[in-house]
Amino acid sequence: MPMRRRFLLLLSCLFLLCGNAVAHPALWQAKVGNSTVYLFGTVHLLPNDTNWRFPALDQALAQSQSLYIELTDDDQASMAALVLRYGIDSAHPLSTQLNESDNAALAKAAQLAGLPGGATTLQPMKPWLAALTLSVAPLLKAGLDPAEGVDKQLKAQMIHAGKPVLGLETAEQQIQFLADLSTPIQIAFLRDTLRDIDKDKEELLKLVDAWKQGDVAAIAKLENDELKDQEPALYQELLVQRNSTWAGKIRDMLKQPGTVFMAVGAAHLAGPDSVQAQLAKMGIVVQQD
């Protein structure tokens, strides 16, 4: 699984490429006294005919007084401003940071992605942003709708019910995770994208199948294992530290009576360093529904 998959998850760029087969993604709950926190793994960009709801999920949402998702300030205008601030470097065109072979691959990838303006459009971008753009563009072109992401649908449902929706992080924090990567790592990220641009659909389908089936072990293998082995420092920053921070927030939530629903990217709820594992270190048991 290419390294960029973790970044796509981080910036809400996982894609569900299936039709309307019934899904049953994993759902957990942590309960202490009169307090309950539900945990649900998400994917963030869906075709509008995807059926991913099931009775236990609907019941958990109905019982919850509030919803926490990764971001609430990810509207188009805010994200565009952040991308301009952190992702553009006109003084160092992308082509000047790549070798001849890389630039040829860049031109081909831009054409395959159907990117307006081709590789020229990528020139002012920092390598991390160019990599994400090349990964996202063809899937958006195929008609996948950001408004149909699981977190977006949950947010709309809770707002319609008059319940508060809160963010665990800000869009700027998530963008900075990528912008703060060293230039060599950003270029490695881009080269990884260029090498495997034709494989994205197949790999994403594997991930989506695991998510639909609630196969947490498969999600961990696809999403987390390679990053942990190849980029352990990045794994600690992007997954372990954030999971630990979120677990601390859940611990605090469980000190207050009531029910809360938390929906985060599926990789955060998989593997030995998951949010659930961090909660276990705090003596909080999480059960899968």
Side-chain angles (χ1 to χ4, degrees):
M1 178 66 64
M3 181 173 65
R4 70 185 176 284
R5 197 69 64 243
R6 268 65 65 181
F7 300 113
L8 289 172
L9 177 62
L10 176 65
L11 287 183
S12 301
C13 293
L14 288 177
F15 306 94
L16 190 56
L17 303 176
C18 56
N20 58 3
V22 175
H24 197 300
L27 175 69
W28 293 264
Q29 66 169 303
K31 188 173 181 63
V32 176
N34 295 325
S35 301
T36 301
V37 175
Y38 287 100
L39 297 172
F40 185 61
T42 65
V43 289
H44 307 285
L45 193 63
L46 298 170
N48 56 20
D49 62 349
T50 303
N51 181 4
W52 51 270
R53 294 180 180 272
F54 52 96
L57 174 64
D58 292 335
Q59 183 177 9
L61 288 165
Q63 293 173 349
S64 298
Q65 283 93 47
S66 61
L67 168 68
Y68 279 82
I69 55 179
E70 290 187 38
L71 301 177
T72 58
D73 62 341
D74 57 345
D75 59 278
Q76 186 173 355
S78 296
M79 295 300 289
L82 289 169
V83 165
L84 286 173
R85 179 178 176 185
Y86 292 105
I88 302 300
D89 182 10
S90 300
H92 301 90
L94 188 60
S95 60
T96 65
Q97 303 177 61
L98 305 175
N99 60 37
E100 184 177 350
S101 176
D102 292 333
N103 278 307
L106 188 75
K108 181 180 178 181
Q111 183 180 14
L112 287 173
L115 197 64
T120 301
T121 301
L122 301 170
Q123 291 306 310
M125 297 183 185
K126 292 183 179 180
W128 72 263
L129 180 57
L132 288 179
T133 301
L134 287 171
S135 296
V136 171
L139 297 172
L140 292 175
K141 184 180 178 182
L144 291 157
D145 186 357
E148 294 298 329
V150 172
D151 48 348
K152 293 289 193 299
Q153 294 188 47
L154 293 175
K155 178 181 178 181
Q157 176 180 343
M158 295 297 265
I159 289 174
H160 181 74
K163 299 178 180 180
V165 179
L166 304 112
L168 292 166
E169 297 172 340
T170 67
E172 185 166 14
Q173 284 177 309
Q174 291 204 349
I175 290 283
Q176 282 185 305
F177 283 131
L178 298 176
D180 289 346
L181 295 174
S182 68
T183 298
I185 291 180
Q186 290 190 38
I187 291 175
F189 176 19
L190 176 57
R191 285 176 175 153
D192 192 48
T193 303
L194 296 175
R195 280 194 303 270
D196 294 304
I197 197 164
D198 292 330
K199 301 178 182 178
D200 280 356
K201 182 175 180 179
E202 178 183 348
E203 291 174 348
L204 284 166
L205 283 172
K206 291 179 182 178
L207 175 61
V208 165
D209 283 343
W211 178 77
K212 287 171 56 183
Q213 297 166 21
D215 189 342
V216 183
I219 292 172
K221 183 177 180 180
L222 289 166
E223 284 296 300
N224 300 345
D225 288 357
E226 184 181 332
L227 182 63
K228 184 177 182 179
D229 292 340
Q230 295 186 1
E231 300 288 346
L234 200 57
Y235 174 82
Q236 286 291 323
E237 181 177 352
L238 296 184
L239 281 170
V240 181
Q241 292 181 19
R242 295 169 74 219
N243 290 352
S244 179
T245 297
W246 295 349
K249 292 184 177 183
I250 293 169
R251 177 188 56 198
D252 292 341
M253 293 174 194
L254 290 169
K255 295 177 181 178
Q256 304 295 327
T259 302
V260 173
F261 195 98
M262 182 180 291
V264 297
H268 292 286
L269 303 182
D273 297 304
S274 64
V275 173
Q276 303 94 303
Q278 305 300 328
L279 286 168
K281 294 177 183 178
M282 301 173 183
I284 298 171
V285 177
V286 181
Q287 296 182 332
Q288 186 170 352
D289 285 356

